């Protein structure tokens, strides 16, 4: 019983699969990629790649500062960027927001304009607080695109 209570209390610190944030946005005035890029920048996530033809917006990679296991026997940190894909449809735009995640050994990687360099490993899971941040950003992005 004590183990169940302890695991429940630590639930936010147990990795779990990411759930991308999806929604449909009305056709906005102007290009939706521009709206997405401006909104991400206003939230503190500087766009690194905006491809209007493909419907892709990616932010710069950032070290979240959250410990996340080990890589090559070195404590790792979770590094993340957000990717938004925009698919134009007859009813508006289908939007998908996800976090691209890597586990990087502390002190053994760098982030520059082209990406993350070092012995990092892709991560498919993240913490509950990361999911909450993704969901909150998605909700605010939906409001920005729908004007509501």
């Amino acid at each position: 019983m004590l183990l169940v209570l302890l695991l429940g209390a630590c639930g936010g610190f147990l990795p779990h699969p990411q759930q991308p944030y999806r929604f449909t946005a009305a056709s906005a005035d102007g290009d939706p990629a521009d709206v997405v890029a401006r909104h991400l920048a206003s939230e503190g996530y500087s766009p690194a790649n905006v491809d209007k033809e493909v419907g892709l917006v990616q932010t710069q990679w950032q070290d979240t500062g959250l410990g996340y296991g080990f890589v090559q026997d070195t404590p790792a940190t979770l590094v993340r960027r957000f990717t938004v894909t925009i698919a134009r449809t007859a009813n508006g735009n289908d939007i998908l927001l996800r976090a691209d995640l890597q586990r990087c050994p502390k002190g053994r990687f760098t982030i520059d304009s082209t990406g993350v360099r070092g012995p990092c490993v892709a991560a498919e899971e993240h913490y509950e607080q990361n999911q909450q941040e993704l969901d909150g950003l998605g909700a605010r992005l939906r409001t920005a695109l729908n004007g509501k």
Side-chain angles (χ1 to χ4, degrees):
M1 181 66 148
L2 181 58
L3 180 59
V4 171
L5 291 174
L6 183 58
L7 288 175
C10 297
F13 298 104
L14 296 175
H16 61 84
Q18 176 187 169
Q19 298 297 316
Y21 192 94
R22 301 171 194 268
F23 63 95
T24 299
S27 295
D29 292 335
D31 192 289
D34 288 336
V35 175
V36 167
R38 281 193 308 270
H39 184 77
L40 290 172
S42 76
E43 292 268 345
Y45 304 108
S46 300
N49 178 29
V50 178
D51 188 331
K52 294 177 187 181
E53 286 186 35
V54 174
L56 179 73
V57 179
Q58 293 175 310
T59 66
Q60 295 176 358
W61 287 96
Q62 294 180 333
D63 182 353
T64 66
L66 294 172
Y68 198 92
F70 291 83
V71 172
Q72 297 180 346
D73 296 327
T74 301
T77 185
L78 191 63
V79 178
R80 171 190 66 203
R81 74 174 173 193
F82 291 109
T83 295
V84 178
T85 55
I86 304 161
R88 292 179 175 89
T89 68
N91 298 326
N93 299 293
D94 288 337
I95 310 293
L96 175 80
L97 168 66
R98 73 170 193 272
D100 299 322
L101 306 165
Q102 294 191 38
R103 292 183 307 124
C104 297
K106 292 181 181 180
R108 297 183 46 209
F109 72 98
T110 59
I111 299 173
D112 61 27
S113 61
T114 60
V116 181
R117 300 194 186 286
C120 300
V121 178
E124 298 299 322
E125 297 182 322
H126 63 171
Y127 297 122
E128 180 61 30
Q129 78 179 66
N130 298 106
Q131 185 66 50
Q132 291 172 358
E133 186 176 354
L134 178 79
D135 292 342
L137 180 59
R140 292 186 301 277
L141 187 58
R142 182 181 63 216
T143 298
L145 284 166
N146 284 321
K148 301 176 189 175

